[in-house]
Amino acid sequence: MCVPACHEQIVRSLSRRSFLKSASMVTAAGALAGCTGVNVTESPVSKTINYNRIVDLTHTLREDFPTYFGPSQLKIESLYSAAESGFNLNQWTINEHTGTHMDAPFHFDGSQTADTIPVSKLVGALAVIDIRARATENADAQVTPDDIKAWESVYGPLPAGAIVAMNSGWDAYVMDGTRFRNADDAGVMHFPGFHLEAIDYMMEEKDVVGIMSDTLSLDFGPSPDFAAHFQWLPSNRWGIESVANLSELPVSGATVMVGVPKIAGASGGPSRVLAFAL
Amino acid sequence: MCVPACHEQIVRSLSRRSFLKSASMVTAAGALAGCTGVNVTESPVSKTINYNRIVDLTHTLREDFPTYFGPSQLKIESLYSAAESGFNLNQWTINEHTGTHMDAPFHFDGSQTADTIPVSKLVGALAVIDIRARATENADAQVTPDDIKAWESVYGPLPAGAIVAMNSGWDAYVMDGTRFRNADDAGVMHFPGFHLEAIDYMMEEKDVVGIMSDTLSLDFGPSPDFAAHFQWLPSNRWGIESVANLSELPVSGATVMVGVPKIAGASGGPSRVLAFAL
């Protein structure tokens, strides 16, 4: 069990050694006296979430939910039914990257698997970057540094530990035939994503713990090289793909909580993502 | 898409018809103009969560995590590895009732599946009922109405929409050989749970949306009939089994968020359960 102040001890310890953003964080955590895991995180000052609305950023996941690779990635099998056994129970066979799901750093070989991301990084202030108008004109639209700077010019600098979401309006197409994948005759998909320069801006100049897209990828559809993935995830920051309902939220002021399953060694997982807002 | 005030409209509408707690809620939601789902819930007054600690109430789930039935209920298979493909990706074959997981009402034939529980019911004020001393003496200890009333005598009536958790200390045994299941020579398990009278008290006299146990069941181990399950779940209230780290929390004042996967028709699912506390 981890003592309440343990995570902050770890952060301070690592900070002193300039390891704050390094992949050795989890290992260092285990080495600290009294800690066998990072189950509790404590802030030096208290935080407040004011809300009167809870918005579900999660799509309902079905066997025919569209996938990046194309074929179904979920099979639901009934093991018991109330009619026969008195209770209902299913088994899922599921690819970790299906539906509204997390890309843990380990997906692109960061050291943190879904179960070892510090819980303090699963909760954060949300900045919604609205590129719906551009995405309507161009399915290959990307979030750029200028988009983020435009947000900051109105709402101030991205808050510490922020979560940045791209709202391209693509969630509306999720069960609309083939439109969510939007593949052309050559099989190349066309949907919005984060430009590598925006990734660099958030990594080099900001304190952003996670990003979210409302499409099938963090990268835009025609990306030949997963550039955004390869830059972002190995730094032990996370992503969420295929979020829903961002248009229900204010673009500033909401708080997000990411409920990713805590399965050992996971590269991600179908997650429940809720936002608290006024 | 559901308009912001939609859920409250539904609740008021159902309330007028005395259907507030009825199984027809989801159907009624769909029938209301402008609503195709319950993705947003709005309260008439704003709420506040003050916290400086986030406590992870979730065990890390591994293939050898103990199960109610005995055999493993999780298989993790690597489909891609960074060494070979540039990225890591696993597939899980998993029983919905494995690890720290939800029992959705539908598990015992309530109408609400995990994906249709209103999100407002996935967040609530936590009351921790501490029976650790009794459970140390008697593995078959149960939470009784007197335990809940003793909590109320100190902290006041259970708050509206409360989540009530049993802390028996059993989470410490989760990977301790066979101790979590604690089966005797006849195969009968012995661990704490909720007494039917406590279930009745919470249903008839209180406004409790969910209960959590730190053992393999809502019922105590030797239960021959799942009495607590059969009483609680069909009323469209939920349960979480095998929660962890309740001892890290104050017994009153924390707020819980249940991150259950939103998979269509699910009777439950491995969940990320976080608590916010001072």
Side-chain angles (χ1 to χ4, degrees), chain A residues 1-4 39-43 45-56 58-62 69 74 76 79-80 82 86-97 106-109 114-115 117 119-120 122-123 171 230 245 248 257-270 272 274 276 278, chain B residues 1-4 39-43 45-56 58-62 69 74 76 79-80 82 86-97 106-109 114-115 117 119-120 122-123 171 230 245 248 257-270 272 274 276 278:
Chain A
M1 213 72 68
C2 203
V3 297
N39 290 314
V40 182
T41 67
E42 183 163 334
S43 303
V45 294
S46 65
K47 299 179 180 179
T48 300
I49 301 172
N50 287 312
Y51 70 102
N52 65 355
R53 304 168 61 216
I54 303 174
V55 178
D56 195 349
T58 323
H59 284 293
T60 300
L61 180 50
R62 307 174 193 280
F69 290 117
L74 169 65
I76 302 172
L79 299 188
Y80 297 92
F87 62 95
N88 299 298
L89 188 153
N90 302 317
Q91 176 174 274
W92 310 328
T93 301
I94 185 164
N95 178 312
E96 289 169 337
H97 297 267
F106 180 66
H107 185 38
F108 275 68
D109 229 19
D115 54 309
I117 297 170
V119 290
S120 61
L122 300 178
V123 179
D171 63 333
F230 270 113
N245 300 320
E248 303 283 351
M257 208 224 82
V258 177
V260 61
K262 195 174 180 180
I263 296 189
S267 73
R272 194 61 175 266
L274 299 183
F276 300 81
L278 285 171
Chain B
M1 212 71 67
C2 202
V3 296
N39 289 316
V40 182
T41 67
E42 183 163 332
S43 303
V45 294
S46 65
K47 299 179 180 180
T48 300
I49 302 172
N50 287 312
Y51 71 102
N52 65 355
R53 305 166 61 214
I54 303 174
V55 178
D56 194 348
T58 322
H59 285 292
T60 300
L61 181 50
R62 307 173 193 280
F69 291 117
L74 169 65
I76 302 173
L79 298 187
Y80 297 92
F87 61 94
N88 299 298
L89 187 153
N90 302 318
Q91 176 175 273
W92 310 328
T93 302
I94 186 165
N95 177 312
E96 289 169 338
H97 297 267
F106 180 65
H107 185 38
F108 275 69
D109 230 17
D115 55 310
I117 297 170
V119 290
S120 61
L122 300 178
V123 178
D171 63 333
F230 271 112
N245 301 318
E248 304 282 352
M257 208 224 83
V258 177
V260 62
K262 196 174 178 179
I263 296 190
S267 74
R272 195 61 174 266
L274 300 183
F276 301 81
L278 286 170

Side-chain angles (χ1 to χ4, degrees), chain A residues 8 10 31 44 48 54-55 89 97 107 119 124 129 142 150 155 178 184 190 202-203 247 275:
Chain A
E8 290 305 311
I10 297 162
T48 300
I54 303 174
V55 178
L89 188 153
H97 297 267
H107 185 38
V119 290
I129 309 300
Q142 296 184 73
Y155 303 104
T178 60
D184 62 24
H190 297 277
M202 290 187 283
M203 287 178 64
S247 302

Side-chain angles (χ1 to χ4, degrees), chain A residues 128-261:
Chain A
V128 179
I129 309 300
D130 188 343
I131 64 163
R132 283 179 291 176
R134 208 157 75 233
T136 300
E137 302 295 320
N138 174 17
D140 296 334
Q142 296 184 73
V143 172
T144 67
D146 283 348
D147 292 321
I148 301 172
K149 289 172 184 171
W151 186 98
E152 292 183 297
S153 72
V154 178
Y155 303 104
L158 288 175
I163 295 167
V164 175
M166 173 187 78
N167 182 12
S168 70
W170 221 253
D171 63 333
Y173 308 145
V174 72
M175 297 307 281
D176 182 5
T178 60
R179 191 159 177 195
F180 199 61
R181 296 186 81 249
N182 198 29
D184 62 24
D185 291 345
V188 175
M189 292 180 284
H190 297 277
F191 52 72
F194 285 90
H195 194 285
L196 181 57
E197 291 175 3
I199 297 290
D200 286 338
Y201 176 70
M202 290 187 283
M203 287 178 64
E204 292 166 9
E205 301 186 35
K206 299 291 161 181
D207 174 16
V208 176
V209 298
I211 55 175
M212 309 200 296
S213 79
D214 58 359
T215 61
L216 278 168
S217 182
L218 306 177
D219 286 275
F220 75 144
S223 168
D225 55 8
F226 296 105
H229 281 83
F230 270 113
Q231 187 80 334
W232 185 253
L233 298 176
S235 72
N236 278 343
R237 296 173 175 90
W238 54 257
I240 303 275
E241 293 166 347
S242 301
V243 296
N245 300 320
L246 288 169
S247 302
E248 303 283 351
L249 287 173
V251 296
S252 173
T255 300
V256 163
M257 208 224 82
V258 177
V260 61

Side-chain angles (χ1 to χ4, degrees), chain B residues 13 17 23 31 37 73 81 101 114 118 124 134 140 150 158 166-167 172 179 196 203 208 218 246 252 254:
Chain B
S13 161
R17 286 178 279 157
Q73 296 181 170
S81 69
H101 71 274
R134 208 157 75 232
D140 296 336
L158 288 175
M166 173 187 77
N167 181 10
R179 192 161 176 193
L196 181 58
M203 287 179 63
V208 176
L218 305 177
L246 288 169
S252 173

